[in-house]
Amino acid sequence: MTKQPAIQPPTFLFYTLGCKLNFAESAALGKQMQQAGYQPVKAGQEADVCVINTCTVTQTAEQKCRQNIHRLIRKHPEAFIVVTGCYAQLRAAELAAIPGVDLVLGADQKMDLLQHLQNKKHEKAAVFSGPNSEIHRFFPACARGDRTRYFLKVQDGCDYFCTYCTIPFARGRSRNISIEDAVLQAREVAHEGGREIVLTGVNIGDFGKSSGEKLIDLLRALDGVEGIERYRISSLEPDLLSDEIIDFVASSKRFVPHFHLPLQSGSNDMLQLMHRRYTRELFASRIARIRHSLPEAFIGVDVIVGMRGETQERFEETRSFLENLDFSQLHVFSYSERPGTQALKIEPAVSSSEQKIRSELLHRLSDEKRLKFYAARRGEHAVVLFEKGKKSDLIHGFTENYLRVEAAWRSDWENRSIRLILGDFNADQSALKAVFLP
Ligand code: SF4
């Protein structure tokens, strides 16, 4: 009797663009598919299902999404092609019109992926997506990053409607995980041997809108989870960063001295045009308050250059404001026109060549600040959580206050915290070298 060849389980791959939230959600969906008997595709293997989790934060991000959708259709011609994520929520028909796409899922339908999967390609793509006013569900997600830290989604959506931003339209209104479920997920991470968790969301400071709970109570509850060494808060709106949160981080066992605050502009006129909910004076007071309680804290600041309305004078206001601000590093974004946003009505527009000049100026300022912040810590004792990395003769990790540290490779240091002294800069000044305690 001829032996029947073993039936191969269907295979899948994810291609994810955008923010940590998207990566956490792709990992959560991937876990669901594996539990349903699908196998992640191996390199060079053809996939039966390809899922592209898209981003819409800039024109470039959308372009990359389309390019990768076409690339995966060419590479996996028999595969069932699914497109989801923020771009799919905002312009489902546009993506459904790409020949070879079988299914487009909006933000609220993303978590029903398994129900929509079919093993045969469609003539015409099926679309399951509704208006952003109908995005209500919170899709829990927690994912191990590519190295050591886990990303735990605690909040989604946004009620702020800044004039340049499409995220409230792509992800709906603010909603969140319950504190109880967040603690359960953190325990699972500890059980898997995870040591560091980054709390992610769209507007984390707005935690509690859908559960009536408070962010400070979430932080306190997570601080009690045994096995987790560190928590980082991925980003907090300056107007939602209370003294209570700063003091909690200063006194907590596991929350590290690392803050990421979106400023966007150092000109109050621009902050008004952006409909941001603070003035630069408030922003400066938050930085001063952090430095008062946590002088060693790493403070990352987001800024947008070249938004409509940003005259040369207003840009100079931003630059001089930042020069006098005690932060550690800038994340500089060039403004990108987004369809349907209020910002499109603001004049004057800023040319892309002028955007480039302003971006370079702020990148240079950011390098100066980062090197100054690093240099001031040389010789200090620190605990470094070394990361899993590609085999090389070096291993890297981060201190609690987010300094990157480099040491000679040791396999037994992966995902381990090591106490050491911070030495001098490495060759490309991207890290401080580790000096080991006798
Ligand atoms: S706070 Fe503003 S910029 Fe941030 S996601 Fe919400 S609307 Fe967008």
Side-chain angles (χ1 to χ4, degrees), residues 158-162 164-168 202-203 237 264 276:
C158 187
D159 299 345
Y160 272 30
F161 294 94
C162 303
Y164 53 84
C165 184
T166 52
I167 298 174
V202 171
N203 190 345
E237 290 295 317
Q264 309 310 22
R276 299 292 286 162

Side-chain angles (χ1 to χ4, degrees), residues 13 27 81 90 114 151 223 273:
L13 71 79
I81 304 287
L90 289 185
L114 272 173
F151 297 95
D223 205 32
L273 288 174

